[in-house]
Amino acid sequence: MWLKIPNLFFAFVIVTALTLGGCAGNAIGSSSTDTNLAVTEAAQKTTDKKPTDSTQAVSVAYNASESFPEMKDLPRLEGKATVVITVGGSPITIELDGDNAPITAGNFVDLVQRGVYNGLVFHRVVRSPEPFVVQGGDPKGNGTGGFIDEKTKTERMIPLEIKPKGAEQPVYSKTITQAPVLEHKRGVVAMARSQMPDSASSQFYFTLADLAFLDGNYAVFGTVTDGMEVVDKIQQGDLIDSAKVTAGADNLKNGGK
């Protein structure tokens, strides 16, 4: 399958499909910033991935607050949580992994509890030339927006958060070349972002196939445990009826801030 062959031709096909399928200038992006290079870089890196000492990853994680000082105030999920997203009257059950992606999962749970996703559109669905992603969560509905905090009147952004296998803590604010704990397997949920690592906000995507070339470049934070057949039927323009936390709400810290 072409997604498993890391060369520039297929990277070009992916970028072209995404650009034409949604807002121009965005790949798996969450702002108006051009993200084509981010996807191209992701595909290229699969040709020369080398294992990195996990202790190096841990040291980077401990220094994360220096590059993203707001991180200590962000919502954080300590453990697991379950969210049910209803589309066209049919439920999609997602298990969120706060053990391996606490900030990313915590941000998502907080937005669900605020009702941010209710009524939002899936603005990008890419199934051709091969199954790729279903993307939504943009309050603007066109792939250029994110969550605006009513208190600060600014867009909340979260750092790129990826935990390498063998590491005790996630790496923040940078892509990695080592294998992550949470891989881009079919049915996972991950955060969209622009070319800048720390630019994810509210946009998320479901993977429609195994997408190993995205590993280490985008933050996976959950898995569809039931209702993948619903995801497979989502069309561009379909709405999220509702999103609700059905378990693990007590594991959210700093929510509502």
Side-chain angles (χ1 to χ4, degrees):
M1 192 168 72
W2 67 271
L3 285 174
K4 295 182 180 179
I5 303 175
N7 64 37
L8 292 179
F9 172 75
F10 291 122
F12 172 78
V13 172
I14 293 167
V15 170
T16 302
L18 287 170
T19 301
L20 297 178
C23 176
N26 282 282
I28 305 186
S30 58
S31 77
S32 58
T33 304
D34 190 330
T35 59
N36 289 351
L37 292 177
V39 173
T40 302
E41 181 184 18
Q44 287 178 305
K45 283 185 177 180
T46 61
T47 64
D48 58 0
K49 283 191 175 183
K50 297 179 181 179
T52 301
D53 191 336
S54 61
T55 57
Q56 178 183 357
V58 173
S59 66
V60 172
Y62 288 145
N63 295 325
S65 60
E66 296 179 7
S67 61
F68 203 95
E70 310 97 308
M71 194 167 71
K72 62 182 177 61
D73 297 321
L74 290 173
R76 183 181 185 90
L77 185 65
E78 298 181 353
K80 307 289 186 180
T82 303
V83 166
V84 175
I85 294 178
T86 304
V87 179
S90 299
I92 303 166
T93 303
I94 305 168
E95 182 179 271
L96 305 180
D97 191 343
D99 293 324
N100 293 302
I103 299 296
T104 313
N107 175 69
F108 188 79
V109 171
D110 180 60
L111 296 182
V112 169
Q113 290 188 327
R114 290 171 181 262
V116 169
Y117 293 119
N118 297 341
L120 295 190
V121 68
F122 286 101
H123 63 274
R124 177 167 301 143
V125 177
V126 181
R127 294 194 173 92
S128 178
E130 292 285 350
F132 192 43
V133 299
V134 170
Q135 184 173 333
D138 176 13
K140 292 184 177 180
N142 61 7
T144 66
F147 167 64
I148 304 297
D149 191 307
E150 293 182 357
K151 292 183 178 179
T152 65
K153 306 300 181 183
T154 59
E155 183 175 344
R156 178 205 285 171
M157 294 186 179
I158 61 173
L160 179 61
E161 177 183 54
I162 305 174
K163 185 177 180 181
K165 290 182 178 179
E168 295 182 3
Q169 301 288 337
V171 170
Y172 291 94
S173 301
K174 62 182 294 184
T175 60
I176 66 172
T177 57
Q178 57 269 59
V181 173
L182 302 178
E183 301 174 315
H184 278 79
K185 299 293 187 180
R186 168 175 156 82
V188 302
V189 190
M191 290 301 290
R193 62 175 178 84
S194 75
Q195 198 172 351
M196 300 300 294
D198 297 339
S199 57
S201 181
S202 61
Q203 291 188 47
F204 66 94
Y205 59 91
F206 297 108
T207 54
L208 299 176
D210 292 353
L211 305 173
F213 69 93
L214 295 180
D215 287 347
N217 291 274
Y218 295 88
V220 175
F221 63 93
T223 304
V224 174
T225 57
D226 191 35
M228 192 61 198
E229 71 280 1
V230 180
V231 177
D232 287 333
K233 294 178 181 178
I234 292 174
Q235 300 297 317
Q236 189 164 314
D238 285 352
L239 300 179
I240 297 174
D241 299 335
S242 65
K244 298 179 180 179
V245 181
T246 59
D250 292 342
N251 292 332
L252 179 66
K253 311 303 177 185
N254 288 340
K257 292 189 176 182

